[in-house]
Amino acid sequence: MAEQSQQTQSSMAGLLLHLECQSCGARLVLEPALRTTRCPYCAAPAVVERPPVPGVPEPVFALGFALTHTAAQEHVARWLRSRSRFTRSGIRSAAPGEVRGVYVPAYLYSVLAQARYRASIGENYQETETYAVTDEDGKTHLRTRTVTRVEWRPLEGELASYVADVLVTASKGLENAELEALEPFDLRGLARYTPALISGWVAEEPSLTLARCQAQARSEAVDRVRGLLSRFMPGDSHKDLVHQSRLDWEALDVCLLPVWVLAVKYAEDAPPLRVLVNGQTGAVHGKAPISPWKVLAAVVTLLAVLAMGGWFMGGGR
Ligand SMILES: [Zn+2]
């Protein structure tokens, strides 16, 4: 353990600059030439130099950038332009010039899950049913029809499955939901991490605790097992599926993911809008806030149009 943390310190410290955003908590690692005063995640001008944090786990894998800066700018510009016209002012016209590439830390998790499950399995069967109808003259006739019914039977069992490639964020600057929105990454492109790989880029060190990331990864793995079990159930339908999974052979490695980040500061009174681009596939994610005033104005206009229409129709008589 002592050996490992020493190694971490030496290879991460080196000639690199360690910065921390006092607004979102992102811990950046970069070459002195890339020194920045604004946080690439949240655009806060609160980035300060900090001593290297001891014991930070070293990246094991990294996925390189496949999308160029220009292509990322184009993706963001297209995305900004295509926002709804109810989006707050300044967003659709924001210049995507300050798109920055960041190697975001995530944990790559895999596990062997042994699930014990219990469920009710439904088998459909057809039955002929007799029913009565009364005609116009008040006479009653008996008719038959075919109906589908379900017979339920209990099922119990075990299913072992290997769950791989679960990615969870290790960054305070980028939430897990945001990472999920950028997925999938094509993990066939994973390479062993070397400092040379991130040379010229801003990287972030894991800033979330290992315990927290591990809990998140386990919960995602169990969710996947649930989905797998659900698809695995025999019969025509099933209900009351419950399962308990034992997790063995866990692997949890820090992996750096290529993400282009644009923090758009469009108003003084609002937090910046963050637009993210998957640096491998070009998928864009962001949540452009809607302007309540624009929506209100549109509703008022619509009501006015409807009222005018009503007035004209009423006046035509
Ligand atoms: Zn920040």
Side-chain angles (χ1 to χ4, degrees), residues 21 24 39 41-42:
C21 172
C24 76
C39 172
Y41 286 120
C42 69

mmCIF file with all atom_site columns, all heavy atoms in Angstrom, residues 21 24 39 41-42, ligand 1:
data_model
loop_
_atom_site.group_PDB
_atom_site.id
_atom_site.type_symbol
_atom_site.label_atom_id
_atom_site.label_alt_id
_atom_site.label_comp_id
_atom_site.label_asym_id
_atom_site.label_entity_id
_atom_site.label_seq_id
_atom_site.pdbx_PDB_ins_code
_atom_site.Cartn_x
_atom_site.Cartn_y
_atom_site.Cartn_z
_atom_site.occupancy
_atom_site.B_iso_or_equiv
_atom_site.pdbx_formal_charge
_atom_site.auth_seq_id
_atom_site.auth_comp_id
_atom_site.auth_asym_id
_atom_site.auth_atom_id
_atom_site.pdbx_PDB_model_num
ATOM   1  N  N   . CYS A 1 21 ? -10.836 23.276 -8.336  1.00 0.00 ? 21 CYS A N   1
ATOM   2  C  CA  . CYS A 1 21 ? -11.902 24.259 -8.501  1.00 0.00 ? 21 CYS A CA  1
ATOM   3  C  C   . CYS A 1 21 ? -12.623 24.381 -7.171  1.00 0.00 ? 21 CYS A C   1
ATOM   4  O  O   . CYS A 1 21 ? -13.107 23.399 -6.634  1.00 0.00 ? 21 CYS A O   1
ATOM   5  C  CB  . CYS A 1 21 ? -12.879 23.830 -9.586  1.00 0.00 ? 21 CYS A CB  1
ATOM   6  S  SG  . CYS A 1 21 ? -14.328 24.895 -9.645  1.00 0.00 ? 21 CYS A SG  1
ATOM   7  N  N   . CYS A 1 24 ? -16.774 23.674 -7.871  1.00 0.00 ? 24 CYS A N   1
ATOM   8  C  CA  . CYS A 1 24 ? -17.381 22.351 -8.047  1.00 0.00 ? 24 CYS A CA  1
ATOM   9  C  C   . CYS A 1 24 ? -16.543 21.221 -7.457  1.00 0.00 ? 24 CYS A C   1
ATOM   10 O  O   . CYS A 1 24 ? -17.009 20.094 -7.350  1.00 0.00 ? 24 CYS A O   1
ATOM   11 C  CB  . CYS A 1 24 ? -17.688 22.074 -9.514  1.00 0.00 ? 24 CYS A CB  1
ATOM   12 S  SG  . CYS A 1 24 ? -16.256 21.659 -10.514 1.00 0.00 ? 24 CYS A SG  1
ATOM   13 N  N   . CYS A 1 39 ? -12.500 27.008 -14.429 1.00 0.00 ? 39 CYS A N   1
ATOM   14 C  CA  . CYS A 1 39 ? -12.727 25.572 -14.359 1.00 0.00 ? 39 CYS A CA  1
ATOM   15 C  C   . CYS A 1 39 ? -13.404 25.125 -15.657 1.00 0.00 ? 39 CYS A C   1
ATOM   16 O  O   . CYS A 1 39 ? -14.396 25.711 -16.065 1.00 0.00 ? 39 CYS A O   1
ATOM   17 C  CB  . CYS A 1 39 ? -13.624 25.267 -13.161 1.00 0.00 ? 39 CYS A CB  1
ATOM   18 S  SG  . CYS A 1 39 ? -14.162 23.559 -13.091 1.00 0.00 ? 39 CYS A SG  1
ATOM   19 N  N   . TYR A 1 41 ? -15.177 22.637 -16.147 1.00 0.00 ? 41 TYR A N   1
ATOM   20 C  CA  . TYR A 1 41 ? -16.488 22.041 -15.885 1.00 0.00 ? 41 TYR A CA  1
ATOM   21 C  C   . TYR A 1 41 ? -17.566 23.077 -15.621 1.00 0.00 ? 41 TYR A C   1
ATOM   22 O  O   . TYR A 1 41 ? -18.670 22.979 -16.115 1.00 0.00 ? 41 TYR A O   1
ATOM   23 C  CB  . TYR A 1 41 ? -16.432 21.143 -14.650 1.00 0.00 ? 41 TYR A CB  1
ATOM   24 C  CG  . TYR A 1 41 ? -15.738 19.837 -14.876 1.00 0.00 ? 41 TYR A CG  1
ATOM   25 C  CD1 . TYR A 1 41 ? -14.607 19.512 -14.140 1.00 0.00 ? 41 TYR A CD1 1
ATOM   26 C  CD2 . TYR A 1 41 ? -16.222 18.921 -15.797 1.00 0.00 ? 41 TYR A CD2 1
ATOM   27 C  CE1 . TYR A 1 41 ? -13.973 18.309 -14.326 1.00 0.00 ? 41 TYR A CE1 1
ATOM   28 C  CE2 . TYR A 1 41 ? -15.581 17.713 -15.988 1.00 0.00 ? 41 TYR A CE2 1
ATOM   29 C  CZ  . TYR A 1 41 ? -14.454 17.407 -15.253 1.00 0.00 ? 41 TYR A CZ  1
ATOM   30 O  OH  . TYR A 1 41 ? -13.828 16.223 -15.427 1.00 0.00 ? 41 TYR A OH  1
ATOM   31 N  N   . CYS A 1 42 ? -17.235 24.058 -14.764 1.00 0.00 ? 42 CYS A N   1
ATOM   32 C  CA  . CYS A 1 42 ? -18.302 24.946 -14.303 1.00 0.00 ? 42 CYS A CA  1
ATOM   33 C  C   . CYS A 1 42 ? -18.029 26.406 -14.628 1.00 0.00 ? 42 CYS A C   1
ATOM   34 O  O   . CYS A 1 42 ? -18.812 27.270 -14.258 1.00 0.00 ? 42 CYS A O   1
ATOM   35 C  CB  . CYS A 1 42 ? -18.527 24.756 -12.811 1.00 0.00 ? 42 CYS A CB  1
ATOM   36 S  SG  . CYS A 1 42 ? -17.192 25.346 -11.789 1.00 0.00 ? 42 CYS A SG  1
HETATM 37 ZN ZN  . ZN  B 2 .  ? -15.538 23.795 -11.313 1.00 0.00 ? 1  ZN  B ZN  1
#
